[in-house]
Amino acid sequence: MSAAFKRRLTSPVMWLLPFALIFGAFQIAPLVWVMVSAFKTPTGWGLANFHEIASSAFFRQAIWRSLEISFMSSVLGLAIAAVTCHSMHRCGPRLTRMMIAFTNMTSNFAGVPLAFAFIILMGANGMLTLMLEHFGLLEDFNLYSRTGLIVIYTWFQIPLGILLLYPAFSTLKTEWREAASLLGANRLAYWQHIGLPVLWPSLAGTLTVLFANAMGAYATVYALVNTSYNLMTIRIANLVSGDLFLQPELASALALVLVVILVIVTLIQQWLMRRSYHVTSR
């Protein structure tokens, strides 16, 4: 075995080969298949699938509801995550480490187990629902409605928001607060002129990630409402399962619409993150 061949085998690029093969097989290949299948029609190739999606009130409702629930849960999750990160930033290191460990654990608590937990707690006969109704603090709450979905979406957005936002809060230096206080600035003025201008690119970037995370959610909402609520991921799954309504080409077109939305959101997030690094590196 020659020395040049040994160097190629030990090259760092070669160690990326297993990841590249898996990424190509399970990410690139399905995406290419979706892109090709989306333009396939019974009479050949064209935009008929996209025209059907655009002209159908049913599909437009699925897109609108996905956007609405994703946006609402992302804003609520971001607000709760920001307040939590601010508290963690002011607490001691021991409590902060405990909170980060707890957040890492809860960020993986999703899908069917999360839906089951919410059914036990906040279902029609859930423990928390009955307790709040007993004390007159809750009326007519339905976990399987738009409000219930926003609540459960917000729950799995909070840990991700904390993990993304906490490093940004760490860039706020204590000297900035002390200097602002010496110059006579109160707490509101500090956040208005120093804190939020530094944090806003990270806040906006985190919001876009949470939005993309909610748009692609499927297992939790399917386990909770099955097909009774009209969302994009539910419609895509329905079009590629079963024997009566099997329409994989239409499902591919709807999936491609979802991909385009997520790509736009990701591009916005990357642009905002570059601005965040530019600001914090000053």
Side-chain angles (χ1 to χ4, degrees):
M1 185 179 293
S2 66
F5 185 71
K6 286 183 178 179
R7 283 197 297 272
R8 289 195 190 96
L9 284 180
T10 57
S11 171
V13 177
M14 290 297 294
W15 294 99
L16 291 175
L17 189 58
F19 170 76
L21 291 174
I22 294 174
F23 184 78
F26 295 99
Q27 189 75 33
I28 301 299
L31 181 60
V32 171
W33 184 87
V34 165
M35 294 176 67
V36 172
S37 180
F39 296 95
K40 194 174 180 182
T41 66
T43 58
W45 301 91
L47 300 174
N49 294 322
F50 296 98
H51 182 266
E52 182 174 348
I53 292 172
S55 59
S56 169
F58 189 61
F59 286 121
R60 290 201 305 272
Q61 183 193 54
I63 296 173
W64 169 250
R65 284 184 171 180
S66 294
L67 292 172
E68 181 187 25
I69 291 179
S70 299
F71 180 76
M72 293 293 295
S73 63
S74 300
V75 171
L76 291 173
L78 179 70
I80 298 173
V83 173
T84 306
C85 287
H86 175 60
S87 176
M88 291 168 61
H89 181 60
R90 303 295 299 274
C91 293
R94 185 176 180 182
L95 182 59
T96 301
R97 286 196 297 270
M98 289 176 60
M99 281 296 298
I100 292 176
F102 177 74
T103 304
N104 274 311
M105 181 184 68
T106 53
S107 65
N108 294 303
F109 186 63
V112 177
L114 178 63
F116 182 64
F118 265 81
I119 291 172
I120 293 175
L121 279 175
M122 304 186 70
N125 294 309
M127 181 182 68
L128 188 60
T129 304
L130 295 178
M131 185 176 69
L132 293 176
E133 287 178 350
H134 176 74
F135 290 106
L137 300 174
L138 187 67
E139 292 182 1
D140 299 329
F141 176 76
N142 184 5
L143 181 63
Y144 312 100
S145 65
R146 168 179 165 274
T147 304
L149 289 178
I150 290 176
V151 170
I152 196 169
Y153 270 56
T154 302
W155 168 259
F156 68 70
Q157 299 275 45
I158 293 172
L160 180 59
I162 292 174
L163 292 176
L164 292 173
L165 272 183
Y166 183 70
F169 272 83
S170 299
T171 61
L172 293 177
K173 298 178 181 178
T174 308
E175 293 84 353
W176 297 350
R177 183 189 300 275
E178 294 173 348
S181 178
L182 288 175
L183 292 173
N186 57 21
R187 184 171 299 179
L188 179 62
Y190 166 76
W191 282 108
Q192 182 180 357
H193 297 288
I194 299 176
L196 287 179
V198 173
L199 289 177
W200 85 262
S202 296
L203 291 170
T206 302
L207 178 65
T208 58
V209 174
L210 297 183
F211 181 80
N213 183 46
M215 285 293 293
Y218 170 68
T220 302
V221 64
Y222 183 78
L224 191 66
V225 298
N226 205 321
T227 60
S228 61
Y229 201 85
N230 196 14
L231 294 175
M232 288 186 75
T233 49
I234 296 293
R235 294 282 72 82
I236 293 171
N238 278 358
L239 290 170
V240 295
S241 61
D243 298 329
L244 296 178
F245 305 104
L246 188 63
Q247 294 178 283
E249 291 81 13
L250 189 58
S252 297
L254 192 58
L256 195 57
V257 172
L258 178 60
V259 169
V260 170
I261 294 173
L262 295 182
V263 167
I264 293 173
V265 170
T266 303
L267 291 176
I268 295 173
Q269 184 264 342
Q270 290 295 321
W271 178 71
L272 291 171
M273 290 306 292
R274 282 197 297 272
R275 286 182 58 84
S276 174
Y277 294 144
H278 176 67
V279 170
T280 54
S281 62
R282 288 179 179 175

